[in-house]
Amino acid sequence: MRPQLKLMPDTTTRDEPSAARPPTLASLLGHRPLSSPARSAAHDASSDDDVIDVRGAVRMLRVGRNKVYEMVARNEIPHRRFGRRIRFSRLAIMRWLDSWSLQGAREGQ
C-alpha cells in the first residue's frame, strides 16, 4: 500500500514580503520591469543581439517567407538550425548585409 501524500495549503499571500517568495530570474539579474517607452529604447539598444526566427528575418529583410527559406537552403544567409527550427542572429544578418554593400561598392569602382 502506498503512503498518501498530504497536500499543504498554500499559505502565501500577495501581501507577504518578497523574501518569502522564490526570487525571479529578473530579480537575480537585477532587472526591473520597464515602462513601454523605456522598454522600446532598451529594445533598440539591444536589437543587434536578438535571435530571430524566419518571421523576424522576413520582416527585417522585407522579402517573402519562401525567399528566406530559399536562401537558407542555399546557405546564402547566416543561420542556425535547431532540429526543424531555423534561427538567425540579427547582428549576423546585419554584417551579412554590410558585406553585400561593401562588395557592391568594390564592383562599382
Side-chain angles (χ1 to χ4, degrees):
M1 202 184 215
R2 285 186 182 172
Q4 287 190 349
L5 296 175
K6 288 186 179 182
L7 296 176
M8 300 297 290
D10 186 13
T11 58
T12 60
T13 63
R14 293 187 187 265
D15 297 334
E16 288 184 13
S18 61
R21 290 187 215 130
T24 62
L25 181 59
S27 68
L28 291 172
L29 296 174
H31 293 253
R32 289 186 220 136
L34 300 172
S35 63
S36 40
R39 182 176 300 181
S40 62
H43 179 70
D44 291 343
S46 67
S47 63
D48 288 344
D49 298 24
D50 290 345
V51 174
I52 57 175
D53 58 2
V54 171
R55 187 179 303 161
V58 164
R59 276 187 253 132
M60 183 178 172
L61 298 172
R62 296 182 181 158
V63 296
R65 183 182 60 130
N66 289 341
K67 181 64 178 175
V68 171
Y69 282 118
E70 286 173 16
M71 290 188 297
V72 166
R74 294 178 183 152
N75 209 20
E76 294 175 358
I77 188 170
H79 67 280
R80 294 279 185 240
R81 286 190 174 268
F82 299 96
R84 293 182 59 167
R85 294 184 173 103
I86 302 169
R87 295 294 182 259
F88 304 89
S89 162
R90 187 178 299 269
L91 183 60
I93 290 177
M94 293 304 292
R95 287 181 182 155
W96 174 72
L97 288 171
D98 285 343
S99 72
W100 273 45
S101 62
L102 291 174
Q103 181 181 8
R106 287 183 194 135
E107 289 174 359
Q109 291 180 349

